[in-house]
Amino acid sequence: MGNLIKAEFRKTLTLKAWWALMIPAVVFAFAFALFWGMITNDFSDFLGRSDTRELTEALGISTGELPVGLLALGHGINIGTMIPIIFGVFALAGEYTKKTITTTFLTAPNRVSALSAKMITYIAWGAIYGVIIVAAASLGTVITVDSARLPTAGQWLGVLGAGVLATILATLFGIGVGAVWRSVVGSIITLTIWMLVVENVLVFVMFGAADITWLGGVLPNGTVNGIVGAIGAEAFGAAGVKVPTLEDETAWALQYAAGAPGAFSWWASALIFFGWTMIFFLAGWAVNQKKDIT
């Protein structure tokens, strides 16, 4: 197994995908954190002064102490997490596209070993992406958010852990989708349209038309975003144990501001997205156990 893992790392490092995708991951995470930091830094204008006053009174803090940096971090990390998903697609679908999957399976003792080595390798890559994405989003947040409104050291560490967990699961999710589809282009186009367009429109429409606030908390994009975003929402009393005086519409707006509309809590989001990841990953595993590679 050790030799197979080494081979997977060498295979990845000889290609340009890992660093070519790292560039947009850093740029998007930094830019979105910068943008949302500028918007949410004046939180009263963003949410409304009366809602802000109610919120700060319920939390027992002043407006200047609200950790709005968590909102910028959430959006920056969440958009950056799309890149590990795409990177994961290349793991197996890329081998089918380049016709190298035959060599991969034939040089391993069995397909289970080959796929296990690939999974372990990309867990490590997902963690690497997570650390770098969190660092880029943190830089954008520090530049735009007032120092008094930045997260505490404990919150920073929580975001780092959640960010790494999100990118690891996102990478495995991408592997699963790519393994089922076995097409890099098809997988990436479908995932991008669903995650960034269809699901977001669906969540907004259902909230506006039917007052359904929980939909984003169960769909793939919403749950992977909720792993980090819900930490910010929880800090504002809008997820997990909610502030009793908050109306549902205000709570949803705070969840959206944190990048996690509909999220129940960060750990619930992690468990639900883990379920989505396992559905696609195990389906891809099963498909590739029987796939003819000749």
Side-chain angles (χ1 to χ4, degrees), residues 79-93:
I79 191 65
T81 301
M82 273 300 301
I83 306 301
I85 292 177
I86 295 172
F87 183 60
V89 169
F90 280 92
L92 206 57

Side-chain angles (χ1 to χ4, degrees), residues 9-251:
F9 269 105
R10 288 172 181 168
K11 188 188 305 180
T12 306
L13 289 170
T14 56
L15 301 174
K16 298 178 182 178
W18 71 272
W19 62 262
L21 289 172
M22 191 74 75
I23 294 172
V26 170
V27 170
F28 288 149
F30 174 79
F32 270 68
L34 197 74
F35 174 74
W36 277 91
M38 289 187 291
I39 290 178
T40 57
N41 199 39
D42 193 346
F43 191 76
S44 295
D45 290 341
F46 174 77
L47 186 62
R49 295 188 181 279
S50 60
D51 287 330
T52 302
R53 185 171 58 254
E54 285 187 24
L55 183 62
T56 53
E57 289 175 356
L59 294 174
I61 59 177
S62 67
T63 302
E65 295 173 341
L66 283 168
V68 297
L70 287 171
L71 309 183
L73 277 173
H75 281 279
I77 295 169
N78 287 347
I79 191 65
T81 301
M82 273 300 301
I83 306 301
I85 292 177
I86 295 172
F87 183 60
V89 169
F90 280 92
L92 206 57
E95 293 221 43
Y96 278 105
T97 300
K98 295 179 179 179
K99 310 298 183 184
T100 59
I101 192 67
T102 301
T103 303
T104 296
F105 283 154
L106 291 179
T107 54
N110 51 63
R111 294 190 184 187
V112 172
S113 298
L115 294 174
S116 297
K118 193 175 288 290
M119 177 186 71
I120 294 170
T121 301
Y122 279 84
I123 285 175
W125 276 111
I128 293 170
Y129 266 87
V131 172
I132 294 174
I133 287 169
V134 171
S138 298
L139 179 59
T141 301
V142 169
I143 290 173
T144 52
V145 176
D146 294 341
S147 58
R149 297 175 175 180
L150 291 173
T152 64
Q155 289 171 329
W156 281 104
L157 290 175
V159 167
L160 175 60
V164 170
L165 175 61
T167 51
I168 288 174
L169 291 177
T171 306
L172 295 178
F173 180 77
I175 292 175
V177 173
V180 171
W181 201 293
R182 298 193 298 278
S183 166
V184 171
V185 175
S187 298
I188 290 176
I189 290 175
T190 302
L191 280 173
T192 302
I193 292 175
W194 173 263
M195 302 285 269
L196 298 183
V197 181
V198 175
E199 187 174 318
N200 284 311
V201 171
L202 184 62
V203 168
F204 266 100
V205 169
M206 295 306 291
F207 173 71
D211 200 28
I212 296 176
T213 60
W214 50 264
L215 187 61
V218 297
L219 295 176
N221 185 59
T223 49
V224 70
N225 287 345
I227 297 174
V228 174
I231 293 177
E234 288 177 17
F236 285 82
V241 180
K242 294 184 179 180
V243 171
T245 57
L246 277 185
E247 297 180 355
D248 288 342
E249 291 78 8
T250 303

